[in-house]
Amino acid sequence: MKKALACALLLGCALAAAAQSATSHENRWYVSVQGADVLNLYENAFTYRDNGVDIDLFTLQAGAGLGYNFSEVFGVRTQLSFGSDSGAANSAQTAGGGFFPYSFRHLDLFADAVLNLSGLEGRVTPFRTLLYAGVGGAYTFGFTDSGHPWQVISGENFAPGFRMGGIAQYTLPSGVGFFIDLGGEFYGDDYSGLKPYEEDQKSFNGYAGFPFDLRGVLTLGVMYLFKQHKQ
């Protein structure tokens, strides 16, 4: 986890340093609002499939962002999001099996380094394809009772995280833009309120041993770029 965070931080620093010598950009600052469909892949997500309710692994979130373009190639952004999540306690740890779902909420904040692939070719076009990687974290809270006879879900958590993904963006001459963002987020293993120990992973089904709580996020958003004359 520490190595992954360090790599993401180094990437961000490298992009920012390279951008300092870039020419002035017409649309430096921008703001955005977005909504997202989130796929929750935490411990025991398999129990949703086993009980025929895979659809409940998809939840919604909303957010807002602020970004800055150093040039046509490099930029940075920060995003704050709020939404709901679906988890489950481990039914394999009970004699009679069963299904023990629970829900909770999150507030997460990320800072991303953004690379405009279209800008690498020296083209300024309304449609842009971008890649990003960033670091951040989440506060999770509001956990409901799973009904598991003994497994305890923690009440609230702070979990570090990192993410990466791609963006398809179209901007009108007015500065109004629309984008689709598809990314993956990786959090510390206590994000979902469950942090299995090594002995749990060896003894019980449902714990793959992967040291992250995962979320797949499909975002639709609207943005506005503030125009600035080139110097």
Side-chain angles (χ1 to χ4, degrees), residues 45-68:
F46 72 96
T47 62
Y48 281 79
R49 180 187 65 250
D50 291 349
N51 287 274
V53 288
D54 305 65
I55 191 65
D56 290 344
L57 288 173
F58 291 90
T59 56
L60 301 176
Q61 73 174 22
L66 174 67
Y68 184 83

Side-chain angles (χ1 to χ4, degrees), residues 31-50:
V31 293
S32 67
V33 292
Q34 57 269 345
D37 191 12
V38 181
L39 173 60
N40 303 264
L41 295 175
Y42 316 133
E43 296 86 0
N44 311 310
F46 72 96
T47 62
Y48 281 79
R49 180 187 65 250
D50 291 349

Side-chain angles (χ1 to χ4, degrees), residues 14-34:
L15 292 179
Q20 292 299 317
S21 60
T23 58
S24 182
H25 189 271
E26 278 190 335
N27 304 105
R28 286 186 178 271
W29 290 99
Y30 62 90
V31 293
S32 67
V33 292
Q34 57 269 345

Side-chain angles (χ1 to χ4, degrees), residues 1 4 41-43 162 185-189 209-214:
M1 181 69 176
L41 295 175
Y42 316 133
E43 296 86 0
F162 67 96
E185 298 178 353
F186 308 81
Y187 292 94
D189 207 20
F210 193 63
F212 302 110
D213 283 331
L214 309 180

Side-chain angles (χ1 to χ4, degrees), residues 19 25 43 59 95 119 125 130 141 148 184 219:
H25 189 271
E43 296 86 0
T59 56
T125 62
L130 309 105
F141 60 99
H148 195 280
T219 301

Side-chain angles (χ1 to χ4, degrees), residues 91-210:
S91 58
Q93 294 184 359
T94 62
F99 181 39
F100 305 100
Y102 63 90
S103 62
F104 60 100
R105 296 188 294 277
H106 70 267
L107 185 67
D108 64 50
L109 179 66
F110 279 93
D112 302 317
V114 183
L115 173 67
N116 178 10
L117 297 180
S118 304
L120 287 174
E121 301 175 359
R123 297 184 292 112
V124 180
T125 62
F127 180 79
R128 297 173 180 175
T129 303
L130 309 105
L131 298 177
Y132 66 88
V135 294
Y139 168 60
T140 57
F141 60 99
F143 289 82
T144 62
D145 184 4
S146 70
H148 195 280
W150 58 265
Q151 194 169 57
V152 177
I153 311 298
S154 59
E156 54 186 44
N157 309 279
F158 289 94
F162 67 96
R163 68 179 184 178
M164 60 190 68
I167 305 169
Q169 174 187 311
Y170 186 84
T171 308
L172 301 171
S174 63
V176 175
F178 307 91
F179 64 92
I180 300 175
D181 181 332
L182 179 61
E185 298 178 353
F186 308 81
Y187 292 94
D189 207 20
D190 52 358
Y191 175 93
S192 65
L194 287 173
K195 187 174 183 178
Y197 297 102
E198 184 176 353
E199 190 61 31
D200 292 327
Q201 297 169 357
K202 292 179 179 178
S203 304
F204 297 103
N205 293 328
Y207 291 139
F210 193 63

